[in-house]
Amino acid sequence: MSSPTPPHLLSKSRFVAGTQCRKLLWWKVHEPDARELEPDVVLQDRFDQGRHVGEVARDQFPDGVLIEAEGQSLDDRIAATRGALDDGARVVFEASFRHDDTFVAVDVLERLPGGYRLIEVKSSTSVKDEHVWDAAVQLHVLRGAGLSVHRVEIMHLSRAHRNPDEGALFERTDVTERVEPYASSVVPGEVTQQLAVLAGPCPDAPIGLSCHEPRACPFLERCWPDDPRHIRHLYNVGPKKTADYMREGIHRIDDLPADRKLPAAARRQLRATTAGRIVVEPGLGGALADFTGRIGFLDFETVNRAIPVWPGLGPWNAATAQFSYHERSPDGALTHAEYLAEGPHDPRPELAERLVEATADADRIATYSGYEKRCIRELAAAIPRLAIALTALEAKLFDLLPVVRNHVYHPEFRGSFSIKYVLSPLVPDLSYNDLVIVDGLTASVEIARLLFVAHKIPEAERDRIRTDLLAYCERDTEAMVRLHESLCTLAAADGRGDAG
Ligand code: SF4
């Protein structure tokens, strides 16, 4: 006989959310259709890759029996699991149990002599603290449902694996000793508290580090003040330092004691925000002095797959799949070259050839961050026949980001030197607002869709995605061209004594 369904049932993901924040749990359950909970393309890709890893992991257990979820009620799944175990199945995938108003489906349940092994599959390349909670609530439910579980493992991707067949794709880490104390002493009380929270009104929860760890909460905009002078907008202050400041009672940039030791860029930020205008350091002209002649501007986009598909890559390794390159000759004439991979084959050799060809005449090549340098080194390692040319290209690189960070601050930077924040204040007539793709993570997912699931996308949509990707990458290098012009103007004004 099936047990009555209580008003709210916990699950693995709900329980883990509840350990992060009670309000997050409450909103997830009571507002499941909240706009914030709709996965964007990046999060959806993360889910899809996680699902794919789970399916590939099953290949390691050829005799496993899968408990189907689609179209089945929770009670059906629980009954099917019981049936499979009673029939002597050695391994069950998605083995489903319920206890303490908590439902769990175990990724892999393996029969051992006298008991079972619980295996949780993760698409990460290491065991994380949140995995321990995840495994602990499963252990609690399985034992409550009458199973004798002797061992708990996290099966995750291996950092040592390289496509196609160097090292095993998966590693299994025994976490029994880490999970046992949580499962026996902490989880029962935690489950009771979380169910009580769900039965009541939306709880209060303080903002702090828990809003970012173990995962960035989707409700940040609801809970955090929209204040450009909040301490989280101070340069070089991430979630941990923000939480430290808030514990000290420093919530706004204005609350900082005058004698607080800060990085030079943060000091410049304070000067600029207090004065309400741009600050330019006298050394800007000198920092740009070496960047002359025929100059290029280069930007890459990359794809990262949990299970690597091209030779030499490990799990989640980034592979360059697109570039945009502008080049300005000394007379000011601008040319543009670009490349975007097509089809599932490894695009890196062709991309690297086109890149070497496009950049051959440049004296210096600007990037914005050190990312392109890393990508060029990885290309050189992956394509030995082009290693010398790519090393020569690397020697021409010139990173504009530290030039901005060390010499310029505008109050609208909001503590960030990302090109998206820097561009509008310094080049007001250019932005990303007219584009469909406006960030690198989305670009990465869209490239992967074009490369690996193009057959599932209507042709018109494929064309649109290609156009959007080319426009986004081109805008990045156009932004660099214009940013460089703006910096030169600021340096010249500083030389005349006009700058702030
Ligand atoms: S933003 Fe922070 S306080 Fe608000 S729901 Fe998320 S974790 Fe909780």
Side-chain angles (χ1 to χ4, degrees), residues 263-301:
R267 283 261 155 246
R268 196 171 304 113
Q269 177 180 6
L270 295 187
R271 276 163 53 209
T273 47
T274 304
R277 64 180 173 80
I278 191 167
V279 169
V280 180
E281 300 292 348
L284 177 60
L288 293 167
D290 275 355
F291 192 56
T292 53
R294 197 172 180 88
I295 56 182
F297 300 84
L298 177 64
D299 183 70
F300 288 142
E301 303 303 332

Side-chain angles (χ1 to χ4, degrees), residues 44-66:
Q44 187 58 52
D45 179 67
R46 237 12 233 214
F47 291 156
D48 293 345
Q49 295 213 57
R51 195 174 310 122
H52 180 51
V53 168
E55 286 164 8
V56 172
R58 290 179 197 152
D59 294 344
Q60 313 265 322
F61 308 90
D63 55 347
V65 174
L66 174 65

